[in-house]
Short mmCIF file of all heavy atoms in Angstrom, two decimals:
data_model
loop_
_atom_site.label_atom_id
_atom_site.label_comp_id
_atom_site.label_asym_id
_atom_site.label_seq_id
_atom_site.Cartn_x
_atom_site.Cartn_y
_atom_site.Cartn_z
N ALA A 1 129.38 20.74 -52.52
CA ALA A 1 128.42 19.69 -52.17
C ALA A 1 129.07 18.64 -51.27
O ALA A 1 128.54 18.35 -50.21
CB ALA A 1 127.87 19.05 -53.43
N LYS A 2 130.20 18.10 -51.68
CA LYS A 2 130.88 17.10 -50.85
C LYS A 2 131.42 17.74 -49.58
O LYS A 2 131.39 17.13 -48.51
CB LYS A 2 132.02 16.43 -51.61
CG LYS A 2 131.60 15.37 -52.57
CD LYS A 2 132.81 14.65 -53.12
CE LYS A 2 132.41 13.55 -54.06
NZ LYS A 2 133.56 12.78 -54.51
N SER A 3 131.91 18.96 -49.70
CA SER A 3 132.47 19.62 -48.52
C SER A 3 131.38 19.92 -47.49
O SER A 3 131.64 19.87 -46.29
CB SER A 3 133.20 20.90 -48.92
OG SER A 3 132.30 21.82 -49.51
N VAL A 4 130.18 20.21 -47.94
CA VAL A 4 129.06 20.45 -47.02
C VAL A 4 128.78 19.19 -46.22
O VAL A 4 128.59 19.24 -45.00
CB VAL A 4 127.80 20.91 -47.80
CG1 VAL A 4 126.59 20.97 -46.88
CG2 VAL A 4 128.04 22.25 -48.47
N LYS A 5 128.78 18.04 -46.89
CA LYS A 5 128.52 16.76 -46.22
C LYS A 5 129.65 16.43 -45.24
O LYS A 5 129.40 15.98 -44.13
CB LYS A 5 128.35 15.65 -47.25
CG LYS A 5 127.09 15.80 -48.06
CD LYS A 5 126.99 14.73 -49.12
CE LYS A 5 125.75 14.94 -49.97
NZ LYS A 5 125.64 13.94 -51.03
N ARG A 6 130.90 16.64 -45.68
CA ARG A 6 132.04 16.37 -44.80
C ARG A 6 131.99 17.25 -43.56
O ARG A 6 132.23 16.78 -42.44
CB ARG A 6 133.36 16.62 -45.54
CG ARG A 6 133.82 15.51 -46.42
CD ARG A 6 135.26 15.68 -46.83
NE ARG A 6 135.60 17.02 -47.29
CZ ARG A 6 135.55 17.42 -48.56
NH1 ARG A 6 135.20 16.57 -49.50
NH2 ARG A 6 135.89 18.65 -48.89
N ASN A 7 131.66 18.51 -43.72
CA ASN A 7 131.59 19.42 -42.58
C ASN A 7 130.45 19.06 -41.65
O ASN A 7 130.58 19.20 -40.43
CB ASN A 7 131.46 20.87 -43.06
CG ASN A 7 132.76 21.39 -43.62
OD1 ASN A 7 133.84 21.00 -43.18
ND2 ASN A 7 132.68 22.24 -44.62
N ARG A 8 129.34 18.58 -42.18
CA ARG A 8 128.23 18.13 -41.33
C ARG A 8 128.67 16.96 -40.47
O ARG A 8 128.44 16.94 -39.26
CB ARG A 8 127.03 17.71 -42.18
CG ARG A 8 125.89 17.21 -41.32
CD ARG A 8 124.75 16.62 -42.15
NE ARG A 8 123.84 15.93 -41.27
CZ ARG A 8 123.98 14.68 -40.86
NH1 ARG A 8 125.00 13.96 -41.26
NH2 ARG A 8 123.11 14.13 -40.05
N ILE A 9 129.35 16.00 -41.07
CA ILE A 9 129.85 14.84 -40.33
C ILE A 9 130.82 15.30 -39.25
O ILE A 9 130.76 14.85 -38.10
CB ILE A 9 130.54 13.83 -41.28
CG1 ILE A 9 129.51 13.20 -42.20
CG2 ILE A 9 131.31 12.78 -40.49
CD1 ILE A 9 128.45 12.39 -41.50
N ARG A 10 131.70 16.22 -39.58
CA ARG A 10 132.67 16.74 -38.62
C ARG A 10 131.96 17.39 -37.43
O ARG A 10 132.32 17.15 -36.27
CB ARG A 10 133.57 17.75 -39.33
CG ARG A 10 134.80 18.13 -38.54
CD ARG A 10 135.75 19.01 -39.34
NE ARG A 10 136.27 18.27 -40.48
CZ ARG A 10 136.28 18.74 -41.74
NH1 ARG A 10 135.83 19.94 -42.02
NH2 ARG A 10 136.76 18.00 -42.71
N ARG A 11 130.93 18.19 -37.69
CA ARG A 11 130.17 18.84 -36.61
C ARG A 11 129.45 17.81 -35.75
O ARG A 11 129.43 17.93 -34.52
CB ARG A 11 129.15 19.82 -37.19
CG ARG A 11 129.76 21.09 -37.73
CD ARG A 11 128.71 22.14 -38.03
NE ARG A 11 127.60 21.65 -38.83
CZ ARG A 11 127.56 21.63 -40.16
NH1 ARG A 11 128.58 22.07 -40.85
NH2 ARG A 11 126.50 21.16 -40.80
N VAL A 12 128.87 16.80 -36.37
CA VAL A 12 128.13 15.77 -35.63
C VAL A 12 129.09 14.97 -34.75
O VAL A 12 128.79 14.70 -33.58
CB VAL A 12 127.34 14.85 -36.59
CG1 VAL A 12 126.77 13.66 -35.86
CG2 VAL A 12 126.24 15.64 -37.28
N ILE A 13 130.24 14.60 -35.27
CA ILE A 13 131.23 13.86 -34.48
C ILE A 13 131.70 14.70 -33.30
O ILE A 13 131.79 14.20 -32.17
CB ILE A 13 132.43 13.42 -35.35
CG1 ILE A 13 131.99 12.34 -36.33
CG2 ILE A 13 133.58 12.92 -34.50
CD1 ILE A 13 133.02 11.98 -37.38
N ARG A 14 131.97 15.97 -33.52
CA ARG A 14 132.41 16.84 -32.43
C ARG A 14 131.34 16.96 -31.35
O ARG A 14 131.64 16.95 -30.16
CB ARG A 14 132.74 18.24 -32.95
CG ARG A 14 134.07 18.30 -33.64
CD ARG A 14 134.37 19.73 -34.05
NE ARG A 14 135.64 19.78 -34.76
CZ ARG A 14 135.92 20.62 -35.74
NH1 ARG A 14 135.02 21.50 -36.13
NH2 ARG A 14 137.09 20.59 -36.33
N GLU A 15 130.09 17.06 -31.76
CA GLU A 15 129.00 17.17 -30.78
C GLU A 15 128.84 15.87 -30.00
O GLU A 15 128.65 15.89 -28.78
CB GLU A 15 127.69 17.54 -31.48
CG GLU A 15 126.53 17.73 -30.55
CD GLU A 15 126.67 18.89 -29.57
OE1 GLU A 15 127.62 19.69 -29.67
OE2 GLU A 15 125.80 18.99 -28.68
N ALA A 16 128.93 14.73 -30.67
CA ALA A 16 128.84 13.43 -29.99
C ALA A 16 129.97 13.30 -28.98
O ALA A 16 129.76 12.83 -27.85
CB ALA A 16 128.88 12.30 -31.00
N TYR A 17 131.16 13.73 -29.35
CA TYR A 17 132.30 13.70 -28.42
C TYR A 17 132.05 14.63 -27.24
O TYR A 17 132.23 14.26 -26.09
CB TYR A 17 133.59 14.09 -29.15
CG TYR A 17 134.76 14.20 -28.22
CD1 TYR A 17 135.49 13.08 -27.86
CD2 TYR A 17 135.12 15.42 -27.65
CE1 TYR A 17 136.55 13.17 -26.97
CE2 TYR A 17 136.17 15.52 -26.77
CZ TYR A 17 136.88 14.39 -26.43
OH TYR A 17 137.92 14.49 -25.56
N ARG A 18 131.61 15.87 -27.53
CA ARG A 18 131.40 16.87 -26.49
C ARG A 18 130.39 16.39 -25.45
O ARG A 18 130.58 16.56 -24.25
CB ARG A 18 130.92 18.18 -27.11
CG ARG A 18 130.82 19.32 -26.12
CD ARG A 18 130.16 20.54 -26.74
NE ARG A 18 128.73 20.34 -26.98
CZ ARG A 18 127.78 20.41 -26.05
NH1 ARG A 18 128.10 20.67 -24.81
NH2 ARG A 18 126.52 20.23 -26.37
N LEU A 19 129.32 15.75 -25.90
CA LEU A 19 128.29 15.29 -24.98
C LEU A 19 128.75 14.15 -24.08
O LEU A 19 128.16 13.91 -23.03
CB LEU A 19 127.04 14.86 -25.77
CG LEU A 19 126.28 16.00 -26.45
CD1 LEU A 19 125.16 15.44 -27.32
CD2 LEU A 19 125.74 16.97 -25.42
N ASN A 20 129.79 13.43 -24.49
CA ASN A 20 130.27 12.28 -23.73
C ASN A 20 131.67 12.48 -23.16
O ASN A 20 132.24 11.56 -22.58
CB ASN A 20 130.25 11.04 -24.63
CG ASN A 20 128.85 10.65 -24.99
OD1 ASN A 20 128.09 10.18 -24.17
ND2 ASN A 20 128.47 10.90 -26.25
N GLU A 21 132.21 13.67 -23.30
CA GLU A 21 133.57 13.96 -22.87
C GLU A 21 133.79 13.68 -21.38
O GLU A 21 134.86 13.22 -20.98
CB GLU A 21 133.89 15.42 -23.19
CG GLU A 21 135.33 15.78 -23.04
CD GLU A 21 135.61 17.19 -23.56
OE1 GLU A 21 134.67 17.96 -23.80
OE2 GLU A 21 136.79 17.50 -23.70
N ASP A 22 132.79 13.93 -20.56
CA ASP A 22 132.93 13.73 -19.12
C ASP A 22 133.08 12.26 -18.73
O ASP A 22 133.52 11.94 -17.64
CB ASP A 22 131.75 14.35 -18.37
CG ASP A 22 130.42 13.76 -18.79
OD1 ASP A 22 130.27 13.40 -19.98
OD2 ASP A 22 129.53 13.67 -17.93
N LYS A 23 132.73 11.34 -19.62
CA LYS A 23 132.83 9.90 -19.36
C LYS A 23 134.21 9.33 -19.71
O LYS A 23 134.50 8.19 -19.38
CB LYS A 23 131.77 9.15 -20.16
CG LYS A 23 130.36 9.55 -19.84
CD LYS A 23 129.39 8.89 -20.78
CE LYS A 23 127.99 9.45 -20.56
NZ LYS A 23 127.08 9.06 -21.63
N LEU A 24 135.02 10.13 -20.39
CA LEU A 24 136.30 9.62 -20.89
C LEU A 24 137.41 9.75 -19.87
O LEU A 24 137.41 10.68 -19.06
CB LEU A 24 136.70 10.37 -22.16
CG LEU A 24 135.72 10.29 -23.32
CD1 LEU A 24 136.23 11.11 -24.49
CD2 LEU A 24 135.48 8.86 -23.73
N LEU A 25 138.34 8.82 -19.93
CA LEU A 25 139.54 8.91 -19.10
C LEU A 25 140.36 10.11 -19.54
O LEU A 25 140.44 10.41 -20.73
CB LEU A 25 140.36 7.62 -19.23
CG LEU A 25 139.72 6.35 -18.69
CD1 LEU A 25 140.57 5.15 -19.04
CD2 LEU A 25 139.52 6.45 -17.19
N LYS A 26 140.95 10.79 -18.60
CA LYS A 26 141.74 11.98 -18.90
C LYS A 26 143.15 11.59 -19.35
O LYS A 26 143.65 10.53 -19.03
CB LYS A 26 141.86 12.87 -17.65
CG LYS A 26 140.54 13.23 -17.01
CD LYS A 26 139.68 14.07 -17.92
CE LYS A 26 138.38 14.46 -17.24
NZ LYS A 26 137.20 14.14 -17.98
N GLY A 27 143.78 12.47 -20.13
CA GLY A 27 145.16 12.29 -20.51
C GLY A 27 145.38 11.47 -21.77
O GLY A 27 146.49 10.99 -22.01
N ASN A 28 144.36 11.31 -22.60
CA ASN A 28 144.50 10.55 -23.84
C ASN A 28 144.23 11.45 -25.03
O ASN A 28 143.38 12.34 -24.97
CB ASN A 28 143.52 9.38 -23.88
CG ASN A 28 143.84 8.34 -22.85
OD1 ASN A 28 144.86 7.69 -22.93
ND2 ASN A 28 142.98 8.19 -21.87
N ASN A 29 144.94 11.21 -26.10
CA ASN A 29 144.66 11.88 -27.37
C ASN A 29 143.84 10.93 -28.22
O ASN A 29 144.14 9.74 -28.29
CB ASN A 29 145.96 12.23 -28.10
CG ASN A 29 146.75 13.29 -27.37
OD1 ASN A 29 146.18 14.18 -26.76
ND2 ASN A 29 148.06 13.18 -27.43
N ILE A 30 142.83 11.46 -28.86
CA ILE A 30 141.94 10.63 -29.67
C ILE A 30 141.90 11.19 -31.08
O ILE A 30 141.71 12.39 -31.28
CB ILE A 30 140.52 10.62 -29.07
CG1 ILE A 30 140.55 10.04 -27.66
CG2 ILE A 30 139.56 9.83 -29.95
CD1 ILE A 30 139.25 10.16 -26.92
N VAL A 31 142.08 10.32 -32.06
CA VAL A 31 141.97 10.69 -33.47
C VAL A 31 140.81 9.91 -34.05
O VAL A 31 140.75 8.68 -33.92
CB VAL A 31 143.27 10.36 -34.24
CG1 VAL A 31 143.11 10.68 -35.72
CG2 VAL A 31 144.44 11.12 -33.65
N ILE A 32 139.89 10.60 -34.69
CA ILE A 32 138.72 9.96 -35.28
C ILE A 32 138.84 10.08 -36.79
O ILE A 32 139.03 11.18 -37.33
CB ILE A 32 137.42 10.62 -34.79
CG1 ILE A 32 137.34 10.47 -33.27
CG2 ILE A 32 136.21 10.01 -35.48
CD1 ILE A 32 136.23 11.26 -32.63
N VAL A 33 138.72 8.95 -37.48
CA VAL A 33 138.83 8.92 -38.94
C VAL A 33 137.52 8.39 -39.51
O VAL A 33 137.05 7.33 -39.09
CB VAL A 33 140.01 8.03 -39.38
CG1 VAL A 33 140.12 7.99 -40.89
CG2 VAL A 33 141.30 8.50 -38.76
N TRP A 34 136.96 9.14 -40.44
CA TRP A 34 135.72 8.71 -41.09
C TRP A 34 136.08 7.76 -42.22
O TRP A 34 136.91 8.06 -43.07
CB TRP A 34 134.98 9.94 -41.65
CG TRP A 34 133.68 9.59 -42.27
CD1 TRP A 34 133.44 9.42 -43.61
CD2 TRP A 34 132.45 9.35 -41.62
NE1 TRP A 34 132.14 9.10 -43.80
CE2 TRP A 34 131.50 9.05 -42.60
CE3 TRP A 34 132.06 9.36 -40.29
CZ2 TRP A 34 130.18 8.76 -42.29
CZ3 TRP A 34 130.75 9.07 -39.99
CH2 TRP A 34 129.84 8.77 -40.98
N SER A 35 135.43 6.61 -42.26
CA SER A 35 135.69 5.61 -43.29
C SER A 35 135.00 6.01 -44.60
O SER A 35 133.84 6.43 -44.60
CB SER A 35 135.15 4.25 -42.82
OG SER A 35 135.19 3.33 -43.89
N ASN A 36 135.71 5.87 -45.69
CA ASN A 36 135.11 6.14 -47.01
C ASN A 36 133.98 5.18 -47.33
O ASN A 36 133.11 5.47 -48.13
CB ASN A 36 136.16 6.06 -48.11
CG ASN A 36 137.10 7.24 -48.08
OD1 ASN A 36 136.77 8.30 -47.56
ND2 ASN A 36 138.28 7.06 -48.63
N LYS A 37 134.00 4.02 -46.70
CA LYS A 37 132.97 3.01 -46.94
C LYS A 37 131.64 3.40 -46.29
O LYS A 37 130.59 2.94 -46.71
CB LYS A 37 133.41 1.66 -46.40
CG LYS A 37 134.63 1.11 -47.08
CD LYS A 37 135.10 -0.16 -46.42
CE LYS A 37 136.43 -0.60 -46.99
NZ LYS A 37 136.98 -1.74 -46.27
N ALA A 38 131.69 4.24 -45.27
CA ALA A 38 130.48 4.65 -44.55
C ALA A 38 129.74 5.70 -45.37
O ALA A 38 130.34 6.64 -45.88
CB ALA A 38 130.84 5.20 -43.19
N SER A 39 128.45 5.55 -45.47
CA SER A 39 127.62 6.48 -46.24
C SER A 39 127.32 7.72 -45.42
O SER A 39 126.78 7.64 -44.32
CB SER A 39 126.32 5.79 -46.64
OG SER A 39 125.43 6.73 -47.19
N ILE A 40 127.65 8.87 -45.96
CA ILE A 40 127.39 10.13 -45.28
C ILE A 40 125.89 10.37 -45.17
O ILE A 40 125.39 10.87 -44.17
CB ILE A 40 128.09 11.31 -46.00
CG1 ILE A 40 129.60 11.18 -45.84
CG2 ILE A 40 127.60 12.65 -45.48
CD1 ILE A 40 130.40 12.22 -46.57
N GLU A 41 125.15 9.97 -46.18
CA GLU A 41 123.71 10.19 -46.18
C GLU A 41 123.01 9.40 -45.07
O GLU A 41 121.99 9.84 -44.54
CB GLU A 41 123.10 9.81 -47.54
CG GLU A 41 123.45 10.77 -48.67
CD GLU A 41 124.86 10.58 -49.21
OE1 GLU A 41 125.47 9.51 -48.99
OE2 GLU A 41 125.38 11.53 -49.83
N ASP A 42 123.53 8.23 -44.73
CA ASP A 42 122.91 7.39 -43.71
C ASP A 42 123.40 7.71 -42.30
O ASP A 42 122.95 7.09 -41.35
CB ASP A 42 123.20 5.91 -44.00
CG ASP A 42 122.56 5.46 -45.31
OD1 ASP A 42 121.57 6.08 -45.74
OD2 ASP A 42 123.06 4.49 -45.90
N ALA A 43 124.30 8.65 -42.18
CA ALA A 43 124.91 8.94 -40.88
C ALA A 43 124.02 9.89 -40.07
O ALA A 43 123.99 11.08 -40.32
CB ALA A 43 126.29 9.56 -41.09
N SER A 44 123.33 9.32 -39.11
CA SER A 44 122.52 10.15 -38.21
C SER A 44 123.34 10.41 -36.95
O SER A 44 124.32 9.72 -36.67
CB SER A 44 121.23 9.43 -37.84
OG SER A 44 121.51 8.30 -37.04
N PHE A 45 122.92 11.40 -36.18
CA PHE A 45 123.61 11.71 -34.94
C PHE A 45 123.62 10.49 -34.02
O PHE A 45 124.64 10.17 -33.42
CB PHE A 45 122.95 12.91 -34.23
CG PHE A 45 123.57 13.19 -32.90
CD1 PHE A 45 124.77 13.87 -32.82
CD2 PHE A 45 122.97 12.76 -31.74
CE1 PHE A 45 125.36 14.12 -31.59
CE2 PHE A 45 123.54 13.01 -30.50
CZ PHE A 45 124.74 13.69 -30.44
N GLU A 46 122.49 9.82 -33.92
CA GLU A 46 122.37 8.65 -33.03
C GLU A 46 123.35 7.55 -33.44
O GLU A 46 124.01 6.95 -32.59
CB GLU A 46 120.95 8.11 -33.03
CG GLU A 46 119.94 9.05 -32.40
CD GLU A 46 119.51 10.21 -33.30
OE1 GLU A 46 119.69 10.11 -34.54
OE2 GLU A 46 119.05 11.22 -32.77
N ASN A 47 123.45 7.26 -34.74
CA ASN A 47 124.36 6.22 -35.22
C ASN A 47 125.81 6.60 -34.97
O ASN A 47 126.62 5.75 -34.57
CB ASN A 47 124.14 5.95 -36.71
CG ASN A 47 122.85 5.24 -36.99
OD1 ASN A 47 122.25 4.64 -36.10
ND2 ASN A 47 122.38 5.33 -38.21
N ILE A 48 126.15 7.85 -35.21
CA ILE A 48 127.53 8.30 -35.01
C ILE A 48 127.88 8.24 -33.53
O ILE A 48 128.95 7.76 -33.14
CB ILE A 48 127.74 9.71 -35.58
CG1 ILE A 48 127.70 9.62 -37.11
CG2 ILE A 48 129.04 10.32 -35.10
CD1 ILE A 48 127.75 10.94 -37.82
N GLN A 49 126.99 8.71 -32.66
CA GLN A 49 127.26 8.70 -31.22
C GLN A 49 127.40 7.26 -30.72
O GLN A 49 128.30 6.96 -29.94
CB GLN A 49 126.14 9.42 -30.47
CG GLN A 49 126.43 9.54 -29.00
CD GLN A 49 125.41 10.40 -28.28
OE1 GLN A 49 124.29 10.56 -28.74
NE2 GLN A 49 125.80 10.96 -27.17
N LYS A 50 126.54 6.38 -31.18
CA LYS A 50 126.60 4.97 -30.77
C LYS A 50 127.93 4.33 -31.22
O LYS A 50 128.58 3.65 -30.44
CB LYS A 50 125.41 4.23 -31.40
CG LYS A 50 125.21 2.83 -30.92
CD LYS A 50 123.87 2.33 -31.45
CE LYS A 50 123.94 0.91 -31.86
NZ LYS A 50 122.69 0.42 -32.43
N SER A 51 128.33 4.59 -32.44
CA SER A 51 129.59 4.04 -32.96
C SER A 51 130.79 4.61 -32.22
O SER A 51 131.74 3.88 -31.90
CB SER A 51 129.73 4.34 -34.45
OG SER A 51 128.75 3.67 -35.18
N LEU A 52 130.76 5.91 -31.93
CA LEU A 52 131.85 6.54 -31.20
C LEU A 52 132.00 5.92 -29.82
O LEU A 52 133.11 5.55 -29.41
CB LEU A 52 131.60 8.05 -31.08
CG LEU A 52 132.62 8.83 -30.26
CD1 LEU A 52 133.99 8.79 -30.91
CD2 LEU A 52 132.16 10.27 -30.08
N MET A 53 130.89 5.77 -29.11
CA MET A 53 130.95 5.20 -27.76
C MET A 53 131.41 3.74 -27.80
O MET A 53 132.17 3.31 -26.94
CB MET A 53 129.59 5.33 -27.07
CG MET A 53 129.19 6.77 -26.81
SD MET A 53 130.44 7.74 -25.96
CE MET A 53 130.41 6.97 -24.36
N LYS A 54 130.97 3.00 -28.79
CA LYS A 54 131.39 1.60 -28.93
C LYS A 54 132.91 1.52 -29.14
O LYS A 54 133.59 0.70 -28.50
CB LYS A 54 130.66 0.96 -30.11
CG LYS A 54 130.95 -0.50 -30.29
CD LYS A 54 130.13 -1.07 -31.44
CE LYS A 54 130.48 -2.50 -31.71
NZ LYS A 54 129.74 -3.03 -32.86
N CYS A 55 133.45 2.40 -29.97
CA CYS A 55 134.90 2.42 -30.22
C CYS A 55 135.67 2.82 -28.97
O CYS A 55 136.71 2.24 -28.66
CB CYS A 55 135.22 3.39 -31.35
SG CYS A 55 134.71 2.82 -32.97
N LEU A 56 135.16 3.81 -28.25
CA LEU A 56 135.84 4.27 -27.04
C LEU A 56 135.80 3.20 -25.95
O LEU A 56 136.77 3.04 -25.21
CB LEU A 56 135.23 5.57 -26.55
CG LEU A 56 135.45 6.78 -27.46
CD1 LEU A 56 134.62 7.96 -26.99
CD2 LEU A 56 136.92 7.13 -27.56
N GLU A 57 134.70 2.48 -25.85
CA GLU A 57 134.61 1.37 -24.89
C GLU A 57 135.59 0.26 -25.25
O GLU A 57 136.29 -0.27 -24.39
CB GLU A 57 133.19 0.81 -24.85
CG GLU A 57 132.21 1.68 -24.13
CD GLU A 57 130.79 1.15 -24.21
OE1 GLU A 57 130.60 -0.06 -24.42
OE2 GLU A 57 129.87 1.97 -24.05
N LYS A 58 135.66 -0.06 -26.54
CA LYS A 58 136.57 -1.11 -27.00
C LYS A 58 138.04 -0.73 -26.72
O LYS A 58 138.85 -1.58 -26.38
CB LYS A 58 136.37 -1.34 -28.50
CG LYS A 58 137.07 -2.54 -29.04
CD LYS A 58 136.68 -2.79 -30.48
CE LYS A 58 137.36 -4.02 -31.02
NZ LYS A 58 137.00 -4.27 -32.42
N ALA A 59 138.34 0.56 -26.83
CA ALA A 59 139.69 1.04 -26.56
C ALA A 59 139.94 1.27 -25.07
O ALA A 59 141.02 1.72 -24.69
CB ALA A 59 139.94 2.35 -27.32
N GLU A 60 138.94 0.96 -24.25
CA GLU A 60 139.01 1.11 -22.79
C GLU A 60 139.35 2.55 -22.37
O GLU A 60 140.17 2.79 -21.50
CB GLU A 60 140.01 0.13 -22.20
CG GLU A 60 139.62 -1.32 -22.44
CD GLU A 60 140.63 -2.32 -21.90
OE1 GLU A 60 141.72 -1.91 -21.46
OE2 GLU A 60 140.32 -3.52 -21.94
N LEU A 61 138.66 3.51 -23.02
CA LEU A 61 138.88 4.91 -22.72
C LEU A 61 137.72 5.53 -21.94
O LEU A 61 137.70 6.72 -21.71
CB LEU A 61 139.11 5.71 -24.01
CG LEU A 61 140.39 5.36 -24.77
CD1 LEU A 61 140.45 6.12 -26.08
CD2 LEU A 61 141.61 5.67 -23.92
N ILE A 62 136.77 4.69 -21.53
CA ILE A 62 135.61 5.18 -20.80
C ILE A 62 135.80 4.88 -19.31
O ILE A 62 136.16 3.76 -18.96
CB ILE A 62 134.32 4.53 -21.32
CG1 ILE A 62 134.20 4.80 -22.81
CG2 ILE A 62 133.12 4.96 -20.51
CD1 ILE A 62 132.95 5.37 -23.30
N GLU A 63 135.54 5.89 -18.50
CA GLU A 63 135.64 5.72 -17.04
C GLU A 63 134.50 4.88 -16.54
O GLU A 63 133.36 5.11 -16.89
CB GLU A 63 135.57 7.10 -16.36
CG GLU A 63 136.85 7.56 -15.80
CD GLU A 63 136.69 8.92 -15.12
OE1 GLU A 63 135.69 9.14 -14.43
OE2 GLU A 63 137.61 9.73 -15.30
N ILE A 64 134.80 3.92 -15.69
CA ILE A 64 133.77 3.09 -15.08
C ILE A 64 133.63 3.55 -13.63
O ILE A 64 134.58 3.49 -12.86
CB ILE A 64 134.12 1.60 -15.15
CG1 ILE A 64 134.27 1.17 -16.59
CG2 ILE A 64 133.08 0.78 -14.42
CD1 ILE A 64 134.80 -0.22 -16.78
N ASN A 65 132.45 4.02 -13.28
CA ASN A 65 132.22 4.54 -11.92
C ASN A 65 131.53 3.50 -11.06
O ASN A 65 130.73 2.76 -11.37
CB ASN A 65 131.38 5.81 -11.95
CG ASN A 65 132.16 6.94 -12.60
OD1 ASN A 65 133.39 6.96 -12.52
ND2 ASN A 65 131.47 7.85 -13.24
#
C-alpha cells in the first residue's frame, strides 16, 4: 500500500521532470527528495510540476531565452 503510493509519486515526479527537461541548463545533477511532511494523497501532477519548477527556478537551473 505505501509502496504503491511512493511509486506513484516517483512516476509523477519523473514525468514532470521529463516534460520540462528542455528548459533546464545542461551539465547539472539534480536530486529530488520527497518530504515526509507532504501528503501523498494531496499530491496531484499539477502541484508536483508547479513545485518542481519553482524549486528549479529558485536554484537558477532554468534557461532564460
Side-chain angles (χ1 to χ4, degrees):
K2 281 188 179 184
S3 62
V4 172
K5 292 177 183 179
R6 279 194 313 268
N7 286 328
R8 178 187 168 275
I9 292 297
R10 193 174 295 131
R11 286 191 311 272
V12 171
I13 290 171
R14 283 184 182 147
E15 182 64 8
Y17 175 84
R18 186 188 70 79
L19 291 174
N20 294 289
E21 191 172 13
D22 60 326
K23 300 173 188 168
L24 301 178
L25 294 173
K26 307 296 182 233
N28 293 294
N29 293 325
I30 299 172
V31 177
I32 299 171
V33 179
W34 183 261
S35 171
N36 287 337
K37 296 175 187 173
S39 170
I40 291 177
E41 289 77 19
D42 296 336
S44 68
F45 176 78
E46 293 78 20
N47 289 341
I48 290 174
Q49 185 173 24
K50 189 170 142 183
S51 294
L52 176 64
M53 294 308 291
K54 184 177 175 182
C55 289
L56 293 171
E57 285 175 24
K58 190 173 182 181
E60 298 178 352
L61 294 175
I62 303 232
E63 252 181 41
I64 300 172
N65 293 331

